[in-house]
Amino acid sequence: MLTQEQIQHFEKNGYLVVEQLITHDDCEKLKESIKQLIDKWNPECDSSCIFSSSGNREQSKSRYFLDSADNISFFMEEDAIDPNTRKLNRDKHHSVNKIGHALHILDPQFKRVSFSDKIKSVARDLNFIKPAICQSMYICKQPEIGAKVNPHQDGTYLFNEPLKIAGIWIALEDATIENGCLWFIPGSQTIPIKRRYVRNPDQEEFNEGKILLYTGNDDPYDDKDFVPVEVKAGDAIVIHGQVVHKSEQNKSPISRQIYTFHIVETNNSEYSKENWLQTKDPFPLIYDA
């Protein structure tokens, strides 16, 4: 699937664009599946369902967020909720920030794409021995209100030891600077994971509602070090678990819908029990070498 040149690019920079990993027909099928899921969804407008990449106070107290590891759960854009009434201020289809975190298991279309032969080939080319998918997300990046995602490393949220994680980020619509494409610091996959988003180990605090917290601190990042990576619908970006990346707010009138999931190595690598994301069943394998 990947050429030697592409593998070298990934190893040097920490990310790689794979053009047309899925077809435009696949893009439309995934978007239609999400439309149907939102059609059936009855939003309850409280702050526990607002997603924040900074792990806001409400999200960190939310069992709804915790339980999303095994479900198809809906998280709204903060700017889609009236601060006074706590009601949506727009149509629900234009209010969703993201949907997660078990689409790859529970929805047939997303399952088909996530465990396709192409994904198996990419995992093999990246030397995964016993890869599994730990989580999946559909991110809408709504027109005009799509929230920014702060600079981060995926290993902050999904940590295994030794660390071997790869994100597969698939554009279902063109992703541009204007509507919130990804930005990377090339070569930053050499930076160790210093910050973690974990379940609160203090059982008393956990039971009182302080469920999730950050430990450690990242070094400051310089905006001038980031480079934008624009892609077309159907293209994918393979993301190293340690590379620093972000996306800016979507202030444009055009959405930027994507599907992303994370592959973790399970061969001689232990997924941390401290991670916020814990599932009832073992992560489904892509293949078992």
Side-chain angles (χ1 to χ4, degrees), residues 227-282:
V227 297
V229 180
E230 297 182 300
V231 290
K232 297 291 186 181
D235 292 350
I237 306 177
V238 183
I239 303 171
H240 191 287
Q242 288 171 247
V243 73
V244 179
H245 56 292
K246 67 174 184 174
S247 66
E248 297 298 334
Q249 183 179 0
N250 182 10
K251 298 179 180 180
S252 81
I254 302 169
S255 64
R256 189 227 64 185
Q257 299 185 49
I258 69 99
Y259 173 55
T260 185
F261 55 92
H262 287 88
I263 301 171
V264 294
E265 180 63 84
T266 65
N267 182 69
N268 294 326
S269 182
E270 184 175 357
Y271 182 80
S272 175
K273 293 186 172 91
E274 297 177 344
N275 290 341
W276 82 266
L277 184 135
Q278 303 291 334
T279 56
K280 294 176 182 176
D281 297 319

Side-chain angles (χ1 to χ4, degrees), residues 24-35:
H24 282 251
D25 183 57
D26 283 332
C27 291
E28 294 305 314
K29 286 178 179 176
L30 296 185
K31 290 166 68 175
E32 178 59 28
S33 288
I34 289 298
K35 179 181 180 301

Side-chain angles (χ1 to χ4, degrees), residues 24-143:
H24 282 251
D25 183 57
D26 283 332
C27 291
E28 294 305 314
K29 286 178 179 176
L30 296 185
K31 290 166 68 175
E32 178 59 28
S33 288
I34 289 298
K35 179 181 180 301
Q36 292 177 14
L37 287 170
I38 297 176
D39 281 341
K40 297 173 184 175
W41 171 54
N42 182 21
E44 294 182 3
C45 231
D46 70 25
S47 58
S48 68
C49 299
I50 297 174
F51 177 74
S52 168
S53 67
S54 60
N56 62 28
R57 183 170 177 267
E58 291 79 11
Q59 180 178 296
S60 295
K61 293 169 61 179
S62 172
R63 288 187 180 273
Y64 181 80
F65 183 74
L66 207 64
D67 292 343
S68 69
D70 291 300
N71 294 297
I72 296 176
S73 302
F74 299 79
F75 301 89
M76 290 172 282
E77 291 283 1
E78 187 170 4
D79 288 346
I81 296 176
D82 186 296
N84 298 314
T85 66
R86 308 306 297 167
K87 301 293 184 183
L88 292 180
N89 58 24
R90 65 199 66 215
D91 174 80
K92 65 180 180 177
H93 285 272
H94 297 101
S95 302
V96 177
N97 172 295
K98 78 168 189 174
I99 301 170
H101 290 91
L103 286 163
H104 62 291
I105 297 172
L106 300 177
D107 184 274
Q109 291 292 349
F110 286 93
K111 185 175 184 178
R112 177 181 59 82
V113 168
S114 304
F115 295 91
S116 70
D117 288 342
K118 285 187 176 181
I119 297 301
K120 292 176 183 176
S121 294
V122 170
R124 286 194 175 96
D125 289 341
L126 296 180
N127 296 319
F128 279 90
I129 297 171
K130 196 176 178 182
I133 298 178
C134 62
Q135 70 158 10
S136 55
M137 299 178 285
Y138 190 98
I139 303 175
C140 298
K141 206 76 162 177
Q142 300 286 359

Side-chain angles (χ1 to χ4, degrees), residues 172-220:
L172 306 180
E173 301 173 328
D174 293 354
T176 66
I177 292 175
E178 288 72 25
N179 71 355
C181 70
L182 291 183
W183 295 65
F184 291 87
I185 299 181
S188 59
Q189 75 279 2
T190 59
I191 299 174
I193 303 298
K194 298 178 181 178
R195 192 179 192 219
R196 300 275 305 283
Y197 191 50
V198 300
R199 296 187 176 215
N200 191 342
D202 186 316
Q203 196 60 49
E204 185 175 342
E205 288 186 357
F206 186 96
N207 292 335
E208 291 174 352
K210 190 178 181 182
I211 296 172
L212 301 168
L213 50 83
Y214 281 102
T215 63
N217 293 286
D218 290 326
D219 294 330

